Amino acid sequence: MAMTGMLTESFELGPIRPPSEAYSLLIRVTRNCSWNRCKFCPIYKGEKFQLRSVEAIKQDIRTARIIQDKIKELAWKSGYDGSLEEVAAMVCNNPPNDAYRNVALWLYAGGKNAFLQDANTLIMKTGELVEVIKYLKETFPSISRITSYARSKTAAKKSVEELIELREAGLSRLHIGLESGYDPVLQFMDKGVTAADHIAGGRNVVAAGISLSEYVILGMGGKKMWREHAIATARVLSEINPDFIRARTLTIHSRMPLHNDVASGNFVRETDEEIIEEEKLLIENLECHSSFISDHIINLLQEVEGKLPEDKEKMLAVISRFQALSPEERANFKMGRRLGIYGRLDDLNDARRHEEVKRAMDRLGQDGNGADDKVIFSLMERFI
Ligand code: SF4
């Protein structure tokens, strides 16, 4: 492709986006996290929070537009019969920089969604955020969905009227890290919010008509508070009634402050079996009309998904099926999941994969009667 030498423009990108925004155009409106103290979160540690000026953000949007136009021009000139998808895929496979990769991936997926980074976009002044969202939509008329991360506390401080203004400008969905609805857990993890803040913030978003995705972390209560964590989290989620509840499983590595609590014995991790029991208790206590989603490889039972309340029994049946396995089969499944060999419980019936896991367990010195938790934990770290 002769033109690739001319593809030099770039714009700023933050480090993360939710899995559901993998194909979204990423626009960084703030840098890092305005709280940055949660013990279980390594993402922005050591980085300073910064607001960005509206003009700087608009400049990035303009650059994204130039990149889009260049990729379109490339598609037209390279005689791919106008196949933007093919050219976007080629740019994506060999991008001149991350900004090009992002725009190419977004075009490849149809160019409909955008995600505003980083951790707490609502902290911007409402008027400025409205201006950014409107500019983004004007610059890219193809965008029909704009989403972002927010903190409950910040959402609680915005009035419903302000949130409605944001929705009317084009903000479609907010992703909020609820993590737990149990105050002692929130306090221990230094989350900087209470269950009451979660409810107030979540309800404001729902009342404004913005789609809401709340993230919960299974295992967050540790061996000491798992039961209270499950029940209180279900209560808070039921009071909010978000559109989506997304489950994640606690994973700990050395870049997290929580690692020190584990080392000192201040926090004792649950085993996979205990976490599944906690998930069961959480689901049993949910009284809402949300979609429960397990869209992360870190969750042991990714097939525990469905619409509440009608799919509650179906989800609990998946959990019961896992719990009814023999200890050997449970160990095999846990190891297969953590090695990335299994996707769901049915995969246990695949003789080839079952044997592959068995051999891996032999190599790792497992006895087949119980995968060592330390090995499981270290395998899990590879996924984050
Ligand atoms: S508020 Fe979110 S991004 Fe910030 S430290 Fe906590 S978990 Fe991490």
Side-chain angles (χ1 to χ4, degrees):
M1 258 193 280
M3 266 185 74
T4 46
M6 296 161 60
L7 308 181
T8 53
E9 300 78 8
S10 189
F11 58 87
E12 196 168 325
L13 292 166
I16 62 160
R17 42 88 190 137
S20 53
E21 305 296 335
Y23 296 99
S24 296
L25 179 67
L26 303 176
I27 299 295
R28 195 178 202 187
V29 300
T30 65
R31 295 190 185 104
N32 309 311
C33 175
S34 56
W35 176 250
N36 213 9
R37 284 167 54 175
C38 303
K39 281 186 180 182
F40 55 88
C41 171
I43 301 160
Y44 304 102
K45 295 288 183 281
E47 303 294 332
K48 211 167 156 272
F49 171 73
Q50 285 176 319
L51 290 163
R52 298 189 71 207
S53 71
V54 171
E55 198 32 57
I57 302 165
K58 283 183 173 177
Q59 181 56 51
D60 277 359
I61 294 171
R62 282 193 289 276
T63 305
R65 172 67 198 238
I66 292 169
I67 292 175
Q68 174 205 258
D69 293 347
K70 281 203 172 180
I71 295 174
K72 283 186 172 175
E73 193 187 340
L74 203 52
W76 182 72
K77 283 190 175 165
S78 48
Y80 272 90
D81 203 19
S83 173
L84 178 58
E85 249 182 49
E86 273 183 65
V87 173
M90 281 166 71
V91 173
C92 211
N93 286 333
N94 190 18
N97 58 46
D98 287 343
Y100 263 91
R101 183 202 310 274
N102 176 237
V103 176
L105 195 61
W106 168 73
L107 283 173
Y108 178 77
K112 292 194 168 55
N113 303 328
F115 181 77
L116 308 177
Q117 300 175 301
D118 282 335
N120 186 21
T121 297
L122 281 190
I123 203 159
M124 279 180 77
K125 286 186 182 139
T126 302
E128 292 191 354
L129 187 51
V130 164
E131 194 179 334
V132 165
I133 292 170
K134 283 186 173 165
Y135 190 74
L136 181 59
K137 289 199 81 166
E138 279 162 27
T139 312
F140 295 102
S142 68
I143 289 179
S144 55
R145 193 186 78 167
I146 299 175
T147 72
S148 195
Y149 280 132
R151 294 189 73 226
S152 292
K153 201 154 194 150
T154 313
K157 283 184 186 152
K158 292 266 184 216
S159 67
V160 174
E161 290 69 33
E162 283 176 289
L163 291 166
I164 288 174
E165 221 186 306
L166 288 166
R167 174 179 54 75
E168 286 174 349
L171 183 64
S172 334
R173 175 175 302 161
L174 285 170
H175 297 266
I176 292 183
L178 182 131
E179 337 292 12
S180 176
Y182 188 52
D183 280 335
V185 169
L186 293 168
Q187 214 173 355
F188 176 79
M189 293 291 176
D190 209 357
K191 179 71 192 166
V193 297
T194 62
D197 294 327
H198 275 324
I199 294 169
R203 280 185 164 177
N204 274 357
V205 175
V206 172
I210 296 173
S211 170
L212 176 61
S213 216
E214 295 273 9
Y215 291 73
V216 295
I217 301 187
L218 305 170
M220 189 80 149
K223 283 195 196 285
K224 198 167 130 195
M225 296 189 276
W226 71 270
R227 189 177 291 277
E228 295 86 347
H229 164 59
I231 293 171
T233 302
R235 178 187 70 81
V236 168
L237 285 167
S238 300
E239 291 200 35
I240 298 170
N241 194 26
D243 300 88
F244 301 96
I245 297 169
R246 289 191 146 92
R248 300 286 180 265
T249 301
L250 182 67
T251 305
I252 303 173
H253 58 68
S254 54
R255 285 178 289 128
M256 297 176 179
L258 186 58
H259 190 261
N260 298 334
D261 290 282
V262 174
S264 68
N266 215 12
F267 183 85
V268 184
R269 296 176 72 166
E270 292 163 74
T271 62
D272 268 332
E273 277 87 349
E274 289 165 338
I275 286 177
I276 294 304
E277 184 63 23
E278 174 190 312
E279 187 173 22
K280 180 178 165 201
L281 191 61
L282 170 78
I283 293 171
E284 280 171 349
N285 282 276
L286 282 171
E287 300 295 338
C288 51
H289 293 78
S290 313
S291 292
F292 189 94
I293 295 174
S294 300
D295 59 343
H296 203 290
I297 194 165
I298 209 69
N299 298 326
L300 186 71
L301 299 177
Q302 243 180 299
E303 65 232 79
V304 178
E305 291 201 326
K307 178 87 174 74
L308 292 163
E310 55 267 37
D311 292 333
K312 191 187 262 197
E313 292 312 316
K314 187 190 90 180
M315 290 192 279
L316 292 173
V318 175
I319 291 176
S320 300
R321 188 176 161 202
F322 169 75
Q323 292 180 324
L325 292 173
S326 68
E328 293 81 7
E329 286 298 271
R330 271 208 307 274
N332 183 287
F333 182 72
K334 281 165 33 175
M335 187 58 80
R337 274 295 288 154
R338 299 324 184 189
L339 287 169
I341 296 171
Y342 294 148
R344 49 200 301 124
L345 283 169
D346 278 347
D347 294 340
L348 278 170
N349 301 326
D350 181 330
R352 187 191 56 77
R353 281 193 265 182
H354 194 277
E355 190 50 35
E356 192 183 341
V357 175
K358 209 160 164 293
R359 279 200 303 274
M361 288 178 81
D362 289 342
R363 274 199 309 277
L364 288 164
Q366 307 300 315
D367 58 12
N369 287 319
D372 184 298
D373 289 329
K374 281 203 184 116
V375 175
I376 294 284
F377 291 156
S378 63
L379 288 172
M380 285 170 76
E381 282 178 28
R382 298 174 316 142
F383 293 131
I384 54 169

